[in-house]
Amino acid sequence: MNLRLVSRMLGSVAWLIGAAMAFSLIWAFPQCGAGQAEFELKAFYGLIGSMVVCAVVGGLLRWYGRGLKDATLFRKEAMAVVGLSWVLATALGGLPYYLGGMVYRADAAGEPMTMGVAECLFEAQSGFSTTGATVLSQIDNLEWAPRCLLFWRSSTHFLGGLGIIVLFVAILGQGAAGKALMRAEMPGPNKDSSHERMQHTAWVFAGIYCALNVVMAVVLKLEGPTTARGHITWFEAICHAFGTMATGGFSTMDASLGGFESPLVEYTVTVFMIFAGTNFTLIYLFCLGKPSRLFTDLESRTYFLIIAGATTAVIVFGYIDHSGQGRSDFDPTETIPAWQEAEIAFRDSLFHVVSVMTTTGFGAADYDQWSNASRALFLFLMFVGACAGSTGGGMKVIRHILFVKIIGREFELSFHPSVVRHLRIGKETLTDPDLVRTVLTYVGLIAMVFTTGWLILVAIEPDSTWTDAGFSIDNKLMDSASAVAASLHNIGPGLGVVGPTQNYALFTAPAKLLFTFLMMLGRLELFAIFVLVLPSFWRTR
């Protein structure tokens, strides 16, 4: 292990994070139109102090790795850079909240409580991993949640959307090392980009990603006044574009997307969430005049079919249960036109199915009040995820396709042991002998991590977390399972005490650190983090 080379690259990552904080400084000024009336002095200097720390840490790491500019980066070093980059980003990314005095909730006496170390690490990792889980309870309160810190919070989504390392490679290059870095970080078995040079691929993906962010922000800004908040500001448009295209889900309102009370905004965000959950290679081919690939690719077809099927199922469950699709203003005695009832049911169901499946986590209604069948379906969708090569989290649709094909082949071999059956994805025959082992290992590890995390959370978290939030402790097992699944698969909101109208503020510090670890594991798909604790990984060749 070439520790000095790893240190040099980590120093560049620290500088990149510090430079990104500079874009949040302007939102401390009331003239920027973010909603505050006064200059956010403490938050401004919290960002400045964090940038200084990033510069110093980056400088020290670069100094230790001096003289290794042209050294070869092997796979082991690449995995170390990726894993440690996310650990470093979590620590540095949480500094603005800590130094800026961000308040996350009120205590029993109603006094504001500033974020501690556990809360800062949780919020930073939730942003970078695009999970969207939060400990902030009163985002609408300008005194508790400075706008410049909220912009930094959304910026962590932007940085983590395609991955810190992918943007690092796109911006700074790294030559042949970029291939090893991107292979170590990019989630899912991305089968379509192997023929591309990694530097070119990084630029293409980053370009598509940035372009979609810009387009969405402009569209939201131009969509006119909403019911609840008047015209959408640039601050709101940019932050929600970051949260959508990164499939993160951080909002600038306590009510998330529901705070706009605008069907047009919900439909717009739904469309862009679907784009964000699609393989960016297919979007690139679409831009090159090959739109048919979106529908001939087996993974994307399955992705669209699952969205359509799940949406239909939730609509049917809602009509059977007559729950009003969970809207807080639903009145079962009120008579509304049938077309309006059907439109609300369709919009709510589609929005939340896409939000959960793409692991974005935005909320527009309280789906935790819907039928049990709908809630169970949402829990299932948490394990599905989006497409490989997208910004979405989860296990990825392609892995589920491969897993089903592998299991089907094993069943056939049980009664036809001599048959030779190759795995096929569409018209492509998969000849990689390690593919079956890789998929089964990943699925097994996910099941093990989920079960272990669930048991640890149930054991360490007191019942008061539920009773203080007004929930019955009978919900502890199911709520804990959804919280672990929502963290591990980078979704954010779960069910019950972590449902779409709740947050993670009442959990104890050990539980928040557990969630932080699970979010990092899920974003890097286990291996890049697990190898860091293996002694053999750090041995010199």
Side-chain angles (χ1 to χ4, degrees), residues 101 174 233 257 295 336 341 353 401 421 532:
Q174 303 309 315
T233 66
L257 263 291
F295 306 101
I336 62 174
E341 182 180 4
V353 164
I401 294 172
R421 187 79 65 192
L532 298 180

Side-chain angles (χ1 to χ4, degrees), residues 240-282:
H240 286 91
F242 286 173
T244 302
M245 292 316 306
T247 63
F250 276 157
S251 176
T252 58
M253 301 174 288
D254 289 322
S256 190
L257 263 291
F260 288 121
E261 296 183 13
S262 169
L264 180 59
V265 169
E266 291 177 29
Y267 280 122
T268 300
V269 172
T270 300
V271 170
F272 279 94
M273 284 193 295
I274 292 174
F275 279 138
T278 305
N279 191 321
F280 273 37
T281 302
L282 299 180

Side-chain angles (χ1 to χ4, degrees), residues 354-527:
V354 172
S355 180
V356 171
M357 183 169 171
T358 60
T359 72
T360 306
F362 276 136
D366 187 5
Y367 62 72
D368 199 40
Q369 301 300 317
W370 297 1
S371 66
N372 285 329
S374 295
R375 295 170 73 243
L377 181 57
F378 284 131
L379 186 61
F380 166 75
L381 291 176
M382 291 180 187
F383 287 86
V384 176
C387 297
S390 71
T391 62
M395 293 176 65
K396 304 295 185 299
V397 173
I398 188 63
R399 282 203 181 93
H400 287 277
I401 294 172
L402 290 170
F403 185 71
V404 170
K405 288 180 174 291
I406 291 169
I407 296 301
R409 188 177 68 172
E410 293 303 311
F411 275 125
E412 185 178 15
L413 288 173
S414 68
F415 58 85
H416 280 314
S418 60
V419 71
V420 177
R421 187 79 65 192
H422 294 291
L423 292 175
R424 297 177 63 86
I425 296 294
K427 298 180 180 179
E428 180 183 358
T429 300
L430 303 179
T431 58
D432 185 356
D434 295 329
L435 182 63
V436 173
R437 174 185 55 81
T438 302
V439 171
L440 294 180
T441 300
Y442 180 80
V443 172
L445 276 175
I446 283 290
M448 183 186 72
V449 171
F450 168 73
T451 304
T452 304
W454 183 16
L455 293 175
I456 292 174
L457 181 61
V458 171
I460 67 174
E461 193 63 17
D463 295 342
S464 59
T465 300
W466 278 260
T467 56
D468 290 349
F471 288 84
S472 169
I473 59 173
D474 294 337
N475 298 331
K476 186 174 182 179
L477 279 176
M478 181 57 70
D479 291 358
S480 296
S482 74
V484 170
S487 300
L488 181 60
H489 298 301
N490 307 129
I491 294 158
L495 303 174
V497 75
V498 292
T501 61
Q502 307 295 321
N503 58 43
Y504 291 72
L506 291 178
F507 280 90
T508 59
K512 289 170 184 170
L513 294 176
L514 171 64
F515 292 139
T516 302
F517 179 65
L518 291 173
M519 287 187 281
M520 194 182 304
L521 277 179
R523 176 59 180 82
L524 295 181
E525 299 195 335
L526 307 179
F527 294 101

Side-chain angles (χ1 to χ4, degrees), residues 1-2 76 536-541:
M1 176 66 70
N2 192 336
K76 183 185 287 189
S536 59
F537 179 73
W538 298 101
R539 291 174 189 156
T540 305
R541 291 184 184 86

